[in-house]
Amino acid sequence: MTLLVVTTAAAQNGKDARIKEIRAAYSLAKKKIDQNGKGGKSPKDMRILLNHLEDEDIPLYNEESIDYYFDESTTDGVTTKHPYFIVENWTSHGHLRYREILLNPKDQQVMFCYMRGETDGGFVVETRYYYDTKGKCIEAKHNTDNTWTTDDSEKENAEYYLKIFNMVNNNGYFSPVDTETKGKATTPKAQRIAQIRSIYAQAKDKIAKNDKAEMPNELHITIHDMGDDWPPMTTEIKMYFDDACYFISHQSSSMSMDGYSEYLFDPKGESLIFSYTRGREEGNEYEWRYYYDENGKCIETKSNSEETDDGFYDKRAAKDYQAIFKFLMSEGQE
């Protein structure tokens, strides 16, 4: 009996110490967020804004933003981002959801999850989950028995958001590209280029109409980063879609450089058919345009630079963007 009492007391002391550690880390994270981008330092954050019309007959419109706050470290010239806090705001047809996720900035292990949900009828749910260093929930607090979530489901959500962050910040590197040409092109080059230009014009018209719509489909990712020894950089990625993602733009800008890219996909949103890149370096501006056949082979390159790659890096980046889009639009994530 004595041994049981001692063991139970030790476990309780360990739990109390862990919760105290989590609360201290939470307080520190909030202070860092409050100082983000202040004191002459570069802001380090990323926002994903995803709004889309789910059902035209009702209509049901989802609005969601996911904010990430991160630190950076550089080893052997490679800079890595370490998220320490994630905030989600979601609303749909009068329903609201707010989430906070506290991560260990060293290894991205989930430490704490908070969720507050409210229905259009005013029913409120609040949950808090505290996790040990191995990811096991050691404390759960609810304001009602109808919690909507579990410690496992909230941890899965945290891992889902973390995966999105890593996908975005490793864009152009995680999706392998099949460089082998499969099949022969069935459309003559001149006709294919004319088709691509027509599809491009149609995409631009769709984008203009979408931007003016009362409930537009939009997926925007904005990143503020750069090491403290460099000028702050802003990166903005815009993905345009209806049934599929048909156009993506990417723009990065700072005091020292500018870069802009466009990726045009076939109407089904599967194959890259055109890519455009513009960059400024040391006062010189360079442009690349790549046109692709039905099999993804570059059939035309237009550039004022001697360095070209037949669109290889554009194809790899485009494939990554497609993966990010599909992952974000996948159903079943709460």
Side-chain angles (χ1 to χ4, degrees), residues 122-137:
F123 181 72
V124 176
V125 171
E126 277 191 292
T127 58
R128 291 172 174 83
Y129 297 105
Y130 299 80
Y131 300 87
D132 65 16
T133 56
K134 296 181 180 179
K136 180 181 178 181
C137 181

Side-chain angles (χ1 to χ4, degrees), residues 8 37 40 43 53 61 88 129-130 136 161 206:
T8 303
L53 186 63
Y61 190 68
E88 180 214 32
Y129 297 105
Y130 299 80
K136 180 181 178 181
Y161 292 134
K206 286 171 66 175

